Amino acid sequence: MLTPLQRFITSIEDRIATFETQSRTANDIASWFHDAHAFVTVADGTGEIVGYAIAQAYADRCCYRGIGEFSVYVRRNRRRQGIGQLAMKALIEHSRTKDLWKLISRIFPENEASLSLLMRMGFRVVGVHEKHRKLDGVWKDCVLVELLIPENID
C-alpha cells in the first residue's frame, strides 16, 4: 500500500511535470526528504497529505549552497484548490530561515498551472532549455524560473 506522499510522487503518468518514467520505492522517496534544504507538506482536515514543496541542493559545490532547486506537487484530485500556493508560500518562508537566497526550477512549457502559480508567487522566467531531454521519444523543453530571497542576499 502506498502512502499518500508516494501516491502523488508516482503520478508520473500525467507527463507534464517530470522526466521520470518509473515509479520510485519508499526508500528512494525518503532520501529526497532526508537530503532536502527545506520542505513543507500540506494536509487536509483529516491529516492526509495532499501536497508538498521541497527544495534540494542545486549543486554539490559549496559555492552554490544557498540555491535550492525546488519541486511542488499536489495530489491529482486536489489540484486547483490553492494547495500548491500554500505549499510554495510555506516553502519560500522556510527557505528564508535556511539561508537560501534563490529558489530555481525547470517547468515543462505545457504545465501552465505550475507556471501560472509560480508567476503569481513572484518567480520570473529566466530562459528555456530547448530539447532538454526526451520523454516518451519526444524532445521536451524546460522553462527556467527563479525567485530571489532578498533577505538572504548580503
Side-chain angles (χ1 to χ4, degrees):
M1 174 80 112
L2 294 175
T3 67
L5 196 54
Q6 291 168 311
R7 278 197 294 257
F8 54 87
I9 289 175
T10 60
S11 66
I12 59 176
E13 62 269 9
D14 290 343
R15 297 296 202 256
I16 64 164
T18 182
F19 285 110
E20 297 286 342
T21 58
Q22 300 293 318
S23 296
R24 298 296 192 123
T25 68
N27 287 337
D28 293 335
I29 294 163
S31 71
W32 295 353
F33 292 91
H34 181 264
D35 297 332
H37 283 313
F39 78 90
V40 296
T41 58
V42 178
D44 65 12
T46 68
E48 185 173 14
I49 296 172
V50 294
Y52 73 88
I54 184 171
Q56 297 172 311
Y58 166 67
D60 60 2
R61 294 175 53 201
C62 65
C63 60
Y64 297 116
R65 193 169 290 138
I67 301 172
E69 185 169 5
F70 76 91
S71 298
V72 59
Y73 294 91
V74 176
R75 180 179 286 192
R76 186 180 297 140
N77 67 344
R78 299 301 298 270
R79 293 177 184 161
R80 301 245 181 230
Q81 298 175 21
I83 293 165
Q85 184 170 338
L86 286 172
M88 284 306 302
K89 183 177 180 183
L91 182 69
I92 293 166
E93 290 302 316
H94 192 61
S95 296
R96 284 185 171 97
T97 68
K98 297 294 186 178
D99 294 326
L100 295 177
W101 66 78
K102 183 188 287 193
L103 292 172
I104 65 167
S105 193
R106 291 178 301 271
I107 312 294
F108 291 164
E110 60 272 18
N111 191 343
E112 295 174 7
S114 286
L115 288 170
S116 176
L117 165 67
L118 296 173
M119 296 307 103
R120 288 193 316 271
M121 300 294 299
F123 285 80
R124 69 184 188 107
V125 173
V126 294
V128 175
H129 282 308
E130 293 183 20
K131 297 179 178 30
H132 196 59
R133 188 180 189 294
K134 283 186 177 181
L135 179 63
D136 297 329
V138 177
W139 284 106
K140 303 279 283 186
D141 294 346
C142 290
V143 177
L144 304 165
V145 298
E146 72 176 12
L147 176 76
L148 295 177
I149 301 173
E151 299 89 337
N152 293 339
I153 296 175
D154 300 310

